[in-house]
Amino acid sequence: MSKIAKKEPLCEEIAGKGCSLKKVLDIIGGKWKIMILCVIDYNEVVRYGQLNRAVDGITNTMLANSLKELEADGLVERKQYDEMPVRVEYNLTPKAKSLIPILLELKKWGEENL
Amino acid sequence: MSKIAKKEPLCEEIAGKGCSLKKVLDIIGGKWKIMILCVIDYNEVVRYGQLNRAVDGITNTMLANSLKELEADGLVERKQYDEMPVRVEYNLTPKAKSLIPILLELKKWGEENL
DNA sequence: CGGAATCCGCTATGATACTG
DNA sequence: CAGTATCATAGCGGATTCCG
């Protein structure tokens, strides 16, 4: 069979497992992450408790989990100051900041189309 | 209202329930919708079976559900031709088409940052 | 061919309590 | 203050079968 095994005119790059769009959604998907990113961006620097009060309805479990994942994915930076009581601050990495404009476009699209 | 009752320097518009960014994610979130949109966009017009084969790993249940929701949200158009056997074609609405460039930016961001 | 109807497991999410 | 540790649950997503 000299045939290239593409039965359909559809590309793996678009719909396949490796699609980078899918990866992006894996990272910023879920129920809370985008809102967390936006709140940090809006405030530049935020403390844990601030986020907890700011993101409407989030629980400790989800906030802690989301922050850990965002940090692991290089979107959020965590700084801990060992004062008493402990103070922890979060801010966006440059990588995350470069994502914000796109999210704002998405938001704008939502306002115009929903 | 002389007073804006905000205990935190964080805005409801960003993190609250009404945030349009959240709404967008509700519509195109989930595991398959973005890929479905991209495949339809890439092909202009697609049949159900094509989508089923093109979107890697999707099941009937999810494809049918996703398409119904996308149609209800005004992102895809369904055309049924009562031939024998039945033929059904899907294409993007203008609204969805205006979303594609943003998704491509997101994809580009993913390629550069992940 | 293009779905609908069932049934079901898993994982994301959540409530609550507790700790360094 | 900034989280962990448990335990519980809902609903998303999946496998299979059936239908016009």
Side-chain angles (χ1 to χ4, degrees):
Chain A
M1 303 307 239
S2 55
K3 264 182 164 179
I4 305 291
K6 270 302 185 200
K7 296 154 203 147
E8 302 293 332
L10 305 159
C11 54
E12 153 70 19
E13 195 210 349
I14 287 178
K17 300 178 198 291
C19 172
S20 54
L21 197 43
K22 242 192 126 177
K23 292 187 200 163
V24 173
L25 268 272
D26 282 348
I27 287 186
I28 62 170
K31 197 169 176 181
W32 304 107
K33 287 184 183 172
I34 284 200
M35 290 195 297
I36 293 173
L37 289 177
C38 286
V39 170
I40 301 181
D41 175 62
Y42 184 77
N43 291 269
E44 302 282 337
V45 172
V46 252
R47 300 181 58 173
Y48 182 92
Q50 264 186 302
L51 277 170
N52 207 356
R53 272 167 280 131
V55 181
D56 187 51
I58 199 170
T59 60
N60 260 332
T61 318
M62 291 314 297
L63 180 54
N65 284 349
S66 302
L67 284 172
K68 254 191 286 189
E69 290 175 21
L70 287 171
E71 197 192 353
D73 291 328
L75 294 182
V76 163
E77 217 170 54
R78 195 190 105 112
K79 284 177 193 158
Q80 177 168 343
Y81 302 91
D82 288 325
E83 309 164 346
M84 191 54 185
V86 188
R87 179 164 57 106
V88 175
E89 290 181 350
Y90 292 92
N91 62 278
L92 296 187
T93 64
K95 190 199 284 191
K97 280 183 185 167
S98 71
L99 177 62
I100 298 290
I102 306 179
L103 296 183
L104 291 181
E105 281 189 72
L106 217 50
K107 181 178 155 109
K108 191 175 150 216
W109 181 90
E111 284 160 3
E112 291 168 355
N113 291 282
L114 301 185
Chain B
M1 20 294 206
S2 50
K3 175 168 145 193
I4 317 227
K6 278 298 180 206
K7 296 159 203 142
E8 301 293 330
L10 304 161
C11 53
E12 153 70 18
E13 195 210 349
I14 287 179
K17 299 177 198 293
C19 172
S20 53
L21 197 43
K22 241 191 127 178
K23 292 187 199 163
V24 173
L25 266 274
D26 281 349
I27 287 186
I28 63 169
K31 196 168 175 180
W32 304 106
K33 288 184 183 172
I34 284 200
M35 291 195 296
I36 294 172
L37 289 177
C38 287
V39 170
I40 302 181
D41 175 62
Y42 183 77
N43 291 269
E44 303 282 337
V45 173
V46 254
R47 300 182 57 174
Y48 182 91
Q50 264 186 303
L51 278 170
N52 207 355
R53 272 166 281 130
V55 181
D56 187 50
I58 198 170
T59 61
N60 256 332
T61 317
M62 292 314 296
L63 181 54
N65 285 349
S66 302
L67 284 172
K68 252 192 289 187
E69 291 176 21
L70 287 171
E71 197 192 352
D73 290 329
L75 294 182
V76 307
E77 217 170 54
R78 194 190 108 111
K79 285 176 191 156
Q80 176 167 345
Y81 303 89
D82 287 326
E83 308 166 347
M84 191 55 184
V86 188
R87 180 165 55 108
V88 177
E89 290 182 350
Y90 293 92
N91 62 278
L92 297 187
T93 64
K95 190 199 283 190
K97 280 181 186 169
S98 71
L99 177 62
I100 298 290
I102 306 180
L103 296 183
L104 291 182
E105 282 189 73
L106 216 50
K107 181 178 153 102
K108 191 175 150 216
W109 181 90
E111 284 160 2
E112 292 168 355
N113 292 281
L114 302 185

